[in-house]
Amino acid sequence: MCGICCSVTLSIEHGGYDFLHKNLLHNLQRRGPNSSQQVLKTDTDYHCLFSGHVLHLRGLLTPQPIEDERGNVFLWNGEIFGGVYVGAKENDTQIMFNHLSSFNNESEIMSLFSSIHGPWAFIYYQASSHCVWFGRDYFGRRSLLWHFSNTGKSFCLASVGTEAAGIVNQWQEVPVCGIFRIDLKSSAISKHIVLKLYPWKYISKENTAEEVDKNLNQILDDLPKFVSIEINEARLCLKTPVVPLNTKLPQGSFESDHSSHIPATIENLQVFLKDKHMKKAVHQLIHVLSEAVKTRVLCLSRSEILFLNDDLSKASTRKANIAILFSGGIDSMVIANLADRHVPFDEPIDLLNVAFMTKVRTGHATFTKKSGQPKKHLETSSEENTKGLAATTDNIKDQNFNVPDRLTGRAGLKELKAINPLRIWNFVEINVSLEELQRMRNHQISQLVQPLDTVLDDSIGCAVWFASRGVGYVMKEDEMKPYQSAAKVVLTGIGADEQLAGYSRHRVRFKTHGLEGLNKELEMELGRISSRNLGRDDRVIGDHGKEARFPFLDENVVSFLNSLSILEKADLTLPRGVGEKLILRLAALELGLTASSVLPKRAMQFGSKIAKMENSHEKASDKCSRLQVLSSE
């Protein structure tokens, strides 16, 4: 994980240079606490400030920006999990830059980025052509924002924005329709910024040109008049990294043999595993998802691990390298189970479980009469976090935090302990009061969620921020004790619902438009996941100097699920807790999970009880006024 930024001034007639605003620099540094530096490149017509902030996870620490003898500059916020060879002790930033610096033409750049498996966002200054290249991976798993000044004389690319200096509304997410190139010299002379686009090639669609044009028109609507987008002259494209969605439907009318009234029980779920074809598909999913988890839990530097004949008591002092956003639901349970297969046996795994106060107790000394809120709250820094936790120990057993996700999380913990009782599972209970929610939203979270601005973005953004911060309590020696997760990698289950019809809207779509409508809905879900979820979640989790990793969005996992027919993935004639994400529930059964395999889908904002906490009359799609508060200076 890194914070990357490139600030470009296209007119230097007035001399001088506006350095990065302190708030923007602060947000970037939070993402990359291990190394920070800047490089300034100047020309007669422009100058560029490159700012890099590194969270060190693999290979040798490689400070960014990285520059070569020809003046090329590279910023990389990504992980190469496949497609390009990276040795165990090598750093992928250096590997990528070595490739880019050796290329002589644009087609080689397309070939390189087409081959990468893993999340990425990058900025590359090619000195010989006076061009800046930038973009995000096919799913948009890493955040990259842009904003263009009103005068047309400058623009900025950054992992995260800031609400300062009156530019909050100008930040927009860089779309994931391809890679962009800007000729700085030409733009400075013409006083018009032209974005050259190298789009993803949608092999499955005959109307690729129409799709690209439609995307371009949507992007242009949000850009100033002096910015335009054109397809690159050579018509070069990136190769889409996943196979197209299988939209083939069963011949004839679809009549399910199953009743929507059958109870959601393990026994009824097990019936499906008697079908050989279904069982084969389930085992294929387990294999490909297990490999995705394996890559994501092993691709980071570790201290020396214990051997089987070593004193296991040493394991109790080790810190977790891997954390999981954990509700006890089917997605997080499967990820935790598979992580247990691959994380070294002596290493704890942190299960991060967040709960928001559901109601206020009366007549308790730790609450004020007027507001009903705790007098003491959690602080921001690590040391102060512990103090705040110790000061509110009374709240640990408070029933106000027994939200649905806390209860299913505890049940899931028991299942995991039954499967592997030797593993140290740190179930981190993260309790958030209304006071702390409002304070940290104002102080930090609102500018991370931006440019997204709905009630849903507020709820999920805040929930994920507090969960991934990892400050809470764990049970140690039969006593709840303050705890802060030190894990730099946070696994999340996002992508499962989008691919396996997990949301209630999928049932509505199926009822009104049948299987064909459901297929179109799932295709749309994956197409919009970058702008709807992933950029926001990357900014929110990265704010703690941690990296979000998404096993369900691994290219091989998506390709496998795309290859299946809709009925192999879900059967929405079946009740909640069975029909949605059917293949994943069957995989959970095969992995030895029990009760969690039939838990119905519950969205994070409802399971954690953050939704309706402040305004019970809001709709998820409404613009959220709480996100509009500007940081004070």
Side-chain angles (χ1 to χ4, degrees):
M1 173 65 65
C2 299
I4 62 175
C5 178
C6 172
S7 181
V8 177
T9 301
L10 294 172
S11 173
I12 57 175
E13 57 194 35
H14 301 296
Y17 185 78
D18 293 329
F19 290 94
L20 296 184
H21 190 280
K22 63 180 182 179
N23 285 16
L24 178 56
L25 195 59
H26 170 76
N27 289 340
L28 291 166
Q29 287 171 335
R30 286 178 64 88
R31 293 175 61 89
N34 300 128
S35 169
S36 293
Q37 65 182 30
Q38 297 181 340
V39 169
L40 180 63
K41 304 296 292 185
T42 62
D43 184 80
T44 54
D45 297 300
Y46 64 84
H47 50 210
C48 307
L49 179 68
F50 300 91
S51 188
H53 310 270
V54 178
L55 172 68
H56 180 224
L57 290 172
R58 60 197 291 195
L60 295 174
L61 174 61
T62 305
Q64 296 191 43
I66 187 169
E67 184 178 8
D68 66 14
E69 66 281 357
R70 291 189 294 276
N72 299 317
V73 179
F74 185 54
L75 289 164
W76 172 252
N77 177 25
E79 295 289 352
I80 298 178
F81 292 139
V84 174
Y85 177 74
V86 180
K89 295 184 178 181
E90 290 182 309
N91 183 275
D92 54 351
T93 303
Q94 187 67 60
I95 296 293
M96 285 295 296
F97 192 45
N98 291 346
H99 282 294
L100 289 169
S101 294
S102 68
F103 291 160
N104 297 312
N105 57 63
E106 297 175 353
S107 61
E108 291 177 301
I109 295 177
M110 295 306 104
S111 178
L112 174 65
F113 283 100
S114 295
S115 64
I116 299 170
H117 280 201
W120 49 265
F122 80 99
I123 301 169
Y124 174 52
Y125 172 70
Q126 194 174 40
S128 61
S129 63
H130 301 280
C131 288
V132 170
W133 296 76
F134 61 95
R136 302 163 67 193
D137 72 78
Y138 180 72
F139 298 116
R141 289 164 289 187
R142 290 289 173 261
S143 170
L144 191 62
L145 308 179
W146 61 23
H147 87 72
F148 299 87
S149 69
N150 294 327
T151 63
K153 295 179 179 179
S154 65
F155 67 90
C156 188
L157 303 165
S159 298
V160 62
T162 177
E163 293 180 335
I167 59 173
V168 58
N169 293 324
Q170 296 180 29
W171 289 105
Q172 296 293 333
E173 291 188 331
V174 173
V176 297
C177 51
I179 285 176
F180 296 91
R181 175 176 60 86
I182 298 178
D183 185 324
L184 301 181
K185 211 165 186 63
S186 173
S187 297
I189 295 170
S190 67
K191 302 189 185 306
H192 185 91
I193 298 174
V194 179
L195 300 170
K196 296 289 185 179
L197 174 64
Y198 298 75
W200 293 104
K201 186 175 182 180
Y202 302 93
I203 300 172
S204 64
K205 296 181 179 179
E206 297 178 0
N207 59 337
T208 300
E210 288 81 356
E211 283 293 318
V212 171
D213 289 340
K214 181 181 177 182
N215 287 337
L216 292 186
N217 289 332
Q218 291 174 345
I219 298 167
L220 283 170
D221 288 342
D222 296 323
L223 294 176
K225 299 292 185 185
F226 56 82
V227 179
S228 61
I229 304 177
E230 300 174 359
I231 301 297
N232 69 91
E233 296 87 343
R235 314 297 289 183
L236 295 174
C237 293
L238 295 157
K239 182 181 177 183
T240 306
V242 296
V243 304
L245 181 69
N246 179 0
T247 57
K248 187 175 181 181
L249 301 177
Q251 293 183 345
S253 61
F254 168 60
E255 297 288 344
S256 175
D257 296 329
H258 313 297
S259 168
S260 60
H261 301 294
I262 68 168
T265 64
I266 295 170
E267 291 73 24
N268 287 331
L269 202 55
Q270 285 173 330
V271 171
F272 292 93
L273 290 170
K274 294 180 181 178
D275 181 282
K276 290 183 179 179
H277 178 79
M278 193 65 181
K279 188 160 186 172
K280 180 181 178 182
V282 167
H283 281 268
Q284 287 176 315
L285 174 59
I286 290 173
H287 171 73
V288 72
L289 190 56
S290 178
E291 287 300 305
V293 171
K294 178 182 178 181
T295 302
R296 282 156 180 78
V297 301
L298 294 183
C299 261
L300 70 159
S301 300
R302 279 182 164 85
S303 56
E304 189 175 350
I305 63 172
L306 298 177
F307 295 98
L308 287 174
N309 59 348
D310 285 342
D311 182 2
L312 287 178
S313 64
K314 295 179 184 177
S316 63
T317 62
R318 296 201 62 178
K319 292 184 177 180
N321 287 303
I322 302 296
I324 300 167
L325 295 187
F326 188 77
S327 66
I330 183 70
D331 309 341
S332 59
M333 284 294 291
V334 168
I335 288 177
N337 180 290
L338 294 176
D340 180 52
R341 288 185 171 189
H342 305 296
V343 172
F345 75 95
D346 62 305
E347 187 178 296
I349 294 176
D350 288 347
L351 307 175
L352 308 178
N353 183 273
V354 68
F356 292 82
M357 187 177 290
T358 56
K359 61 182 179 179
V360 178
R361 294 187 300 174
T362 57
H364 194 282
T366 59
F367 291 82
T368 64
K369 291 181 181 179
K370 184 176 180 180
S371 68
Q373 296 306 312
K375 289 182 179 178
K376 296 192 177 182
H377 49 71
L378 303 187
E379 301 297 333
T380 306
S381 73
S382 174
E383 182 179 349
E384 289 169 333
N385 278 334
T386 306
K387 292 179 182 177
L389 288 166
T392 56
T393 304
D394 256 6
N395 293 336
I396 290 298
K397 297 180 181 178
D398 195 330
Q399 296 302 305
N400 295 336
F401 292 108
N402 279 342
V403 300
D405 279 0
R406 179 61 48 80
L407 301 179
T408 54
R410 288 171 180 160
L413 175 65
K414 290 181 179 179
E415 283 195 44
L416 294 173
K417 282 184 173 180
I419 292 173
N420 186 357
L422 296 179
R423 168 79 65 190
I424 296 176
W425 300 96
N426 290 323
F427 182 70
V428 188
E429 299 192 12
I430 299 160
N431 300 331
V432 186
S433 68
L434 177 59
E435 179 189 31
E436 189 185 16
L437 168 63
Q438 293 174 338
R439 182 169 57 87
M440 296 313 299
R441 180 198 284 121
N442 269 349
H443 177 68
Q444 188 70 10
I445 302 172
S446 62
Q447 58 188 312
L448 301 171
V449 174
Q450 294 283 0
L452 304 190
D453 59 3
T454 69
V455 170
L456 182 65
D457 293 315
D458 174 53
S459 295
I460 296 180
C462 289
V464 171
W465 189 89
F466 280 105
S468 57
R469 184 175 68 165
V471 175
Y473 306 87
V474 296
M475 182 67 74
K476 295 284 188 182
E477 300 168 352
D478 298 324
E479 183 183 355
M480 294 299 286
K481 295 183 178 180
Y483 182 84
Q484 180 164 15
S485 174
K488 287 184 176 181
V489 170
V490 179
L491 302 181
T492 167
I494 193 168
D497 291 303
E498 287 79 1
Q499 297 179 79
L500 300 174
Y503 295 120
S504 57
R505 61 178 175 268
H506 294 140
R507 287 187 177 272
V508 174
R509 181 76 168 179
F510 172 66
K511 287 179 181 178
T512 54
H513 294 90
L515 290 176
E516 184 176 0
L518 180 58
N519 263 333
K520 289 181 179 178
E521 188 79 6
L522 296 183
E523 189 172 35
M524 179 193 69
E525 291 280 10
L526 213 52
R528 70 180 184 181
I529 197 170
S530 64
S531 59
R532 191 177 176 91
N533 304 91
L534 294 175
R536 177 199 64 212
D537 288 358
D538 176 76
R539 291 189 295 277
V540 166
I541 295 173
D543 189 56
H544 303 297
K546 301 183 180 187
E547 180 169 279
R549 294 184 177 178
F550 313 97
F552 284 105
L553 293 173
D554 176 89
E555 286 81 356
N556 292 329
V557 172
V558 175
S559 284
F560 171 70
L561 292 177
N562 276 358
S563 72
L564 300 177
S565 70
I566 182 61
L567 292 180
E568 292 173 297
K569 295 182 283 193
D571 184 348
L572 299 188
T573 65
L574 295 167
R576 291 182 70 238
V578 178
E580 76 278 14
K581 299 188 283 193
L582 176 61
I583 191 171
L584 186 61
R585 297 182 185 282
L586 298 176
L589 277 184
E590 289 292 88
L591 290 169
L593 300 174
T594 52
S596 57
S597 63
V598 289
L599 282 177
K601 164 66 182 178
R602 185 170 54 236
M604 186 179 196
Q605 65 270 29
F606 300 118
S608 67
K609 286 294 184 180
I610 189 175
K612 313 296 184 183
M613 188 177 182
E614 295 166 282
N615 186 340
S616 61
H617 301 294
E618 292 176 318
K619 294 181 180 178
S621 58
D622 290 345
K623 280 192 180 297
C624 182
S625 59
R626 296 180 296 279
L627 291 175
Q628 308 308 316
V629 180
L630 295 181
S631 299
S632 60
E633 294 190 57

